Amino acid sequence: MSSLGGYPLNQTQNTTAKKHFVGSVCIDLLLLETSLYLMGKNEEEIEFETFCERKMGAALKYENIGFEVGYRLTERLTQSKMLGSELLDSVKFICKDFWNEIFAKQVDKLQTDHSGTFVLRDLNFKWLGMFSPGELT
């Protein structure tokens, strides 16, 4: 099983195997270089419309990469588990197992409006830690 952001990376399914760690700075730098690559890093000045097109194309590629990685990780994590067919079972899996694999902790709070809408709260969400609160709104 693998994990991101300074968390364990198991190379085998053996539970006695040593865990390897990847620093969160390495992951941040990888994501930065990936975004520059997807944007078509170019030193010359480009027109605003071309920049916007590149940005939208890069966002679409990033979304596709994220979907594929999430799908594969979920497939890997659910191989040894029996999940129920209820929506709540899937949400609990995300809150406990999936979140723990990615962030090495469980979701801080799960809220629902009892009509199928769930809100996951992580009070120390690492991926937004570099932004100031004013930039998030």
Side-chain angles (χ1 to χ4, degrees), residues 3-19:
S3 192
L4 302 174
Y7 304 120
L9 276 168
N10 278 341
Q11 298 299 326
T12 64
Q13 295 294 334
N14 186 357
T15 57
T16 61
K18 290 184 179 180
K19 291 187 176 187

Side-chain angles (χ1 to χ4, degrees), residues 43-55:
E43 298 299 324
E44 66 188 50
E45 290 200 23
I46 57 175
E47 293 181 16
F48 181 73
E49 291 80 21
T50 306
F51 174 76
C52 290
E53 290 172 8
R54 284 187 182 182
K55 189 174 178 181

Side-chain angles (χ1 to χ4, degrees), residues 60-114:
L60 182 60
K61 289 176 187 175
Y62 245 138
E63 184 176 344
N64 290 335
I65 291 170
F67 178 83
E68 287 293 323
V69 170
Y71 180 82
R72 291 177 186 185
L73 181 59
T74 302
E75 284 287 318
R76 203 168 183 199
L77 291 174
T78 57
Q79 282 179 350
S80 62
K81 296 188 186 320
M82 278 300 275
L83 293 179
S85 60
E86 296 293 320
L87 180 61
L88 185 58
D89 294 333
S90 299
V91 172
K92 285 181 180 178
F93 166 77
I94 292 169
C95 292
K96 293 180 180 179
D97 300 323
F98 186 81
W99 212 265
N100 191 34
E101 188 65 27
I102 299 295
F103 301 109
K105 65 179 234 145
Q106 291 184 5
V107 172
D108 293 325
K109 191 173 187 180
L110 170 63
Q111 293 177 314
T112 181
D113 63 358
H114 302 291

